[in-house]
Amino acid sequence: MTRSLSFFPILLLALLSAVVASLQIGSDLSLSRQLAIVTGTQAEEFADIMFSYAQLPRLVMALMVGAMLGLVGSLMQQLTQNALTSPLTLGTSSGAWLALIIVNVWFPELVGDHSALAAMAGAMLSLFLVIFIAGPKNMTGLPLVLSGMVVNILLGSVASAIILLNAEYAKNVFIWGAGDLTQNGWESVQWLLPRLSVSLLLLVFAPRILTLMRLGHQGAAARGLNVVPAFIVLMAVGLWLVAASITAVGVISFIGLLTPNIARALGARTPRFELIMSALLGALLLVATDAAAQLLSQLTVDAIPSGTTAAAIGAPALLWFSRRKMKAQDQVSIKLPPSRDRLSALILPALMLIVAGMLCLTAVFVTDGHSWHVAMPTAYQWELRWPRMLTALSAGVGLAIAGTVLQRLIYNPLASPDILGISAGATFALVGASVFLGMNIFAVGSVLAFAGSMLVLAVLLVLGRRHQFAPSSLILIGIALTALIDALVQFALAKGTQDSYSILTWLAGSTYRVTEGKALFLFVGVAALFVFTLSTSRWLTLISAGRQFAAARGLNVPVSSALLLGAVALLCALVTATMGPVAFVGLLAPHMAVMLGAKQAREQLIVASLVGASVMLIADWVGQTVLFPAQIAAGTLVSVIGGSYFLFLLIRGRSR
């Protein structure tokens, strides 16, 4: 406690310095004039008005929101005894974001008065879903964070689908997703301040409850605490503070994750001091982050939202956290569904028949929105359909191969290009080129996507080696990269241009805009890599038995692994550059192949490829027809299907 008290003056001085420095950015007023206006002097000149009605409210908003995010992050981490818990990792930010989109699209009359309540409901729903998936016994470990990540992906997919289907109503919520602190007066501050007043109750009543909870559920109950109601009430208050903040300024990631960890590193040992220090650190970090965003905005043509800057700072910090020593409760238990002992002779013909059937169905079975009918496509219709069919087929095969190779190379049933961030690396490179370099995201090549995938793969190998590529450390890397990319995407959307909407369309994973040339290029690339992986299936078989075993059999393990991982990165780059990111196919298809009895590397590659192709073709056809003439991107549907399967695996693992 003495150590934490000694940091208080330093922390307050740092916060005051950050406040003063922030007010100087973009202001022509002297410090004395600023002080005079703050103390009540009437604004006269234009610079005075800008300072009074833009800079000051922005600073106050940063202080309020930063303090609340830090406070709630500390509250969540103390309640769950989990240093990785935050509104970001529990999926509550995505739940609030989805709720705000739903209200704006279908209930616009409620936006003015009930946005915060809607965000609160979305956050609570996502939290309860995460707790149900992870199980009460896994609140202190990584399974809780992993469940939150999957819920984030699912809710994000649903939100993107709603925006794409209702673009004319949802464009006004783009800026929320980027986390922008810009103010044009004091109205938002006046709206938010009373809604954050319940934080005072947390500081008064929460410390004693949190102190008892440190004794464990049984110890706390023995001392008269009704643990479950106390947990629910405190978490509900915390979620209300987050929901109100998100409603006012949008989604700002990582503040609630970083500040409690920093507070503990500075010596905060008691619940009260951790809450207070986290709030002060949150205010300091967001003010500093916002100042950095303003400086960057002066150096660039576009305004940089604070949420984007916070993610750029927070993602590397989470990667650093992934280097810590994993605890027993951080181990992720995955129990695969029952599988056949061997592959039946009927499986391959049946899967081939499904793929052929879906190709025929897509070609001739169409709807006009009122009825279904079979009709041979005209030359024009065929010209539109076959690139989409070929793209869906190739993407399913490519991602299935990538997932199979990854799972065998790093002995991890959770290994998937999307979960580990490899596909996200390609996405980051392509979206970054579009946002910062002005390139058309539909025109940039696979080389750039490959570079992004390889960069992530290198980070994955360097950081994952410390923990022998355990699911725990690899998943944290995936979470950090996904959050960073989400922030970049929201920055692009917040610009409000037609390019922003194009990026969102691409991110949904749609075959809609794929040209004939791109479809053929993807098909040839995937086919070549499929032949390569089949020809090297012996490498996978030997490596699957153990690296030492493979080396004893004469295999050059480092070279073989590098070539196979390069093939994975290239497959992800090809698919992502052609149709956008597609989640969970690389997880679902290899598992389904094993369940069908494909235990050997060669047969698993073949069966997984057919499963992946079937899933993508089905998703693409359903997306084109179910809401005709509107369309749902295949990537969105696959995210829902695959994400639900992943949650099923987590629930099965919880029951072990």
Side-chain angles (χ1 to χ4, degrees):
M1 183 182 300
T2 303
R3 184 187 174 193
S4 61
L5 280 174
S6 67
F7 276 104
F8 260 66
I10 299 174
L11 186 56
L12 291 173
L13 181 60
L15 181 57
L16 179 61
S17 301
V19 166
V20 174
S22 175
L23 290 177
Q24 308 316 307
I25 299 174
S27 176
D28 297 328
L29 300 180
S30 64
L31 189 59
S32 59
R33 180 59 180 172
Q34 291 178 352
L35 183 60
I37 294 176
V38 170
T39 54
T41 301
Q42 185 69 31
E44 299 175 355
E45 304 294 334
F46 177 75
D48 296 344
I49 295 173
M50 286 295 295
F51 180 79
S52 299
Y53 294 97
Q55 285 185 279
L56 274 181
R58 178 171 184 149
L59 174 64
V60 173
M61 186 65 77
L63 289 168
M64 292 166 54
V65 172
M68 289 306 101
L69 293 177
L71 178 68
V72 175
S74 176
L75 177 71
M76 287 182 169
Q77 290 185 15
Q78 293 190 65
L79 282 174
T80 60
Q81 295 297 298
N82 189 336
L84 294 174
T85 303
S86 73
L88 165 70
T89 53
L90 285 185
T92 51
S93 295
S94 295
W97 168 239
L98 175 60
L100 287 172
I101 290 175
I102 291 173
V103 169
N104 272 266
V105 171
W106 288 305
F107 308 100
E109 68 278 2
L110 302 179
V111 170
D113 299 324
H114 302 289
S115 292
L117 287 175
M120 170 72 172
M124 288 290 291
L125 181 63
S126 62
L127 175 66
F128 288 142
L129 180 60
V130 168
I131 293 175
F132 170 75
I133 294 164
K137 294 182 180 179
N138 289 324
M139 295 293 289
T140 61
L142 192 72
L144 183 73
V145 178
L146 177 58
S147 302
M149 184 195 73
V150 181
V151 169
N152 266 328
I153 294 175
L154 282 176
L155 298 184
S157 298
V158 175
S160 296
I162 293 174
I163 291 175
L164 288 171
L165 291 172
N166 303 274
E168 66 276 19
Y169 302 108
K171 283 183 179 179
N172 62 326
V173 300
F174 281 165
I175 195 68
W176 260 327
D180 190 20
L181 293 170
T182 302
Q183 302 296 311
N184 294 312
W186 291 92
E187 290 80 6
S188 295
V189 173
Q190 294 170 350
W191 178 89
L192 183 60
L193 185 59
R195 288 166 174 80
L196 299 184
S197 59
V198 293
S199 60
L200 298 176
L201 298 177
L202 281 182
L203 293 174
V204 173
F205 296 106
R208 180 178 179 275
I209 297 174
L210 295 173
T211 301
L212 292 176
M213 284 189 169
R214 290 188 176 187
L215 302 174
H217 286 189
Q218 292 183 347
R223 285 160 178 78
L225 179 66
N226 202 336
V227 177
V228 175
F231 179 92
I232 293 175
V233 170
L234 289 180
M235 191 64 80
V237 173
L239 290 180
W240 167 255
L241 296 174
V242 171
S245 300
I246 287 176
T247 303
V249 301
V251 179
I252 296 179
S253 305
F254 289 109
I255 301 293
L257 175 65
L258 295 179
T259 51
N261 286 282
I262 298 173
R264 287 189 291 272
L266 293 177
R269 295 292 178 262
T270 66
R272 186 183 303 277
F273 276 108
E274 184 180 322
L275 290 172
I276 295 173
M277 287 191 70
S278 296
L280 290 174
L281 284 165
L284 171 61
L285 188 57
L286 189 53
V287 168
T289 299
D290 187 49
Q294 293 181 65
L295 286 173
L296 287 173
S297 298
Q298 291 183 356
L299 299 174
T300 60
V301 177
D302 299 308
I304 308 294
S306 302
T308 304
T309 312
I313 296 171
L318 183 56
L319 291 177
W320 184 84
F321 286 146
S322 71
R323 298 173 67 251
R324 69 185 178 87
K325 185 177 180 180
M326 295 294 166
K327 301 176 182 178
Q329 61 264 37
D330 287 329
Q331 301 310 310
V332 180
S333 177
I334 289 294
K335 182 181 180 182
L336 295 179
S339 60
R340 296 173 177 267
D341 294 330
R342 61 185 181 85
L343 186 66
S344 170
L346 298 177
I347 294 296
L348 285 178
L351 289 173
M352 291 178 183
L353 187 62
I354 292 173
V355 172
M358 285 308 306
L359 290 172
C360 293
L361 187 66
T362 304
V364 302
F365 200 66
V366 295
T367 179
D368 56 7
H370 303 287
S371 61
W372 301 83
H373 57 277
V374 176
M376 292 301 295
T378 63
Y380 175 72
Q381 290 173 331
W382 178 245
E383 187 178 336
L384 293 177
R385 290 177 193 173
W386 76 258
R388 302 188 66 169
M389 295 161 52
L390 191 60
T391 299
L393 173 71
S394 304
V397 171
L399 293 174
I401 295 171
T404 303
V405 172
L406 270 180
Q407 290 179 16
R408 284 184 169 268
L409 278 181
I410 62 179
Y411 315 106
N412 186 339
L414 288 178
S416 174
D418 46 284
I419 295 173
L420 301 188
I422 298 174
S423 294
T427 305
F428 181 81
L430 294 172
V431 175
S434 175
V435 173
F436 297 113
L437 302 179
M439 296 181 179
N440 186 328
I441 200 165
F442 295 100
V444 291
S446 300
V447 175
L448 192 61
F450 178 68
S453 294
M454 286 301 294
L455 177 62
V456 171
L457 195 55
V459 173
L460 198 67
L461 294 176
V462 171
L463 298 181
R465 189 184 301 276
R466 177 184 176 91
H467 301 293
Q468 288 75 50
F469 305 105
S472 307
S473 59
L474 296 182
I475 288 164
L476 288 179
I477 297 171
I479 292 173
L481 293 170
T482 301
L484 180 61
I485 290 164
D486 284 345
L488 179 65
V489 170
Q490 294 300 339
F491 166 53
L493 296 179
K495 294 167 66 178
T497 63
Q498 186 59 38
D499 289 340
S500 304
Y501 188 73
S502 298
I503 290 174
L504 184 63
T505 304
W506 177 82
L507 285 166
S510 175
T511 61
Y512 178 68
R513 295 196 181 189
V514 178
T515 62
E516 298 177 4
K518 285 191 173 183
L520 286 172
F521 182 75
L522 175 64
F523 175 76
V524 171
V526 169
L529 290 168
F530 178 63
V531 172
F532 170 76
T533 52
L534 280 184
S535 64
T536 57
S537 58
R538 178 178 174 273
W539 298 358
L540 283 175
T541 301
L542 292 174
I543 293 175
S544 300
R547 283 177 167 76
Q548 292 182 346
F549 175 84
R553 295 298 183 277
L555 181 67
N556 190 329
V557 176
V559 173
S560 302
S561 299
L563 289 173
L564 288 169
L565 288 172
V568 169
L570 189 53
L571 284 166
C572 295
L574 286 170
V575 174
T576 306
T578 304
M579 65 172 292
V582 178
F584 293 118
V585 174
L587 176 79
L588 178 65
H591 287 190
M592 293 294 293
V594 173
M595 290 164 55
L596 293 172
K599 304 294 179 66
Q600 301 300 318
R602 186 181 183 85
E603 61 184 19
Q604 187 185 12
L605 286 168
I606 296 172
V607 174
S609 298
L610 291 171
V611 170
S614 301
V615 170
M616 283 300 299
L617 286 168
I618 292 171
D620 191 49
W621 181 78
V622 170
Q624 292 182 53
T625 57
V626 69
L627 293 179
F628 185 88
Q631 297 191 23
I632 303 175
T636 299
L637 290 177
V638 170
S639 293
V640 175
I641 296 169
S644 301
Y645 169 74
F646 196 0
L647 297 182
F648 166 71
L649 288 183
L650 292 174
I651 294 172
R652 285 180 63 89
R654 182 191 71 183
S655 63
R656 293 184 66 177

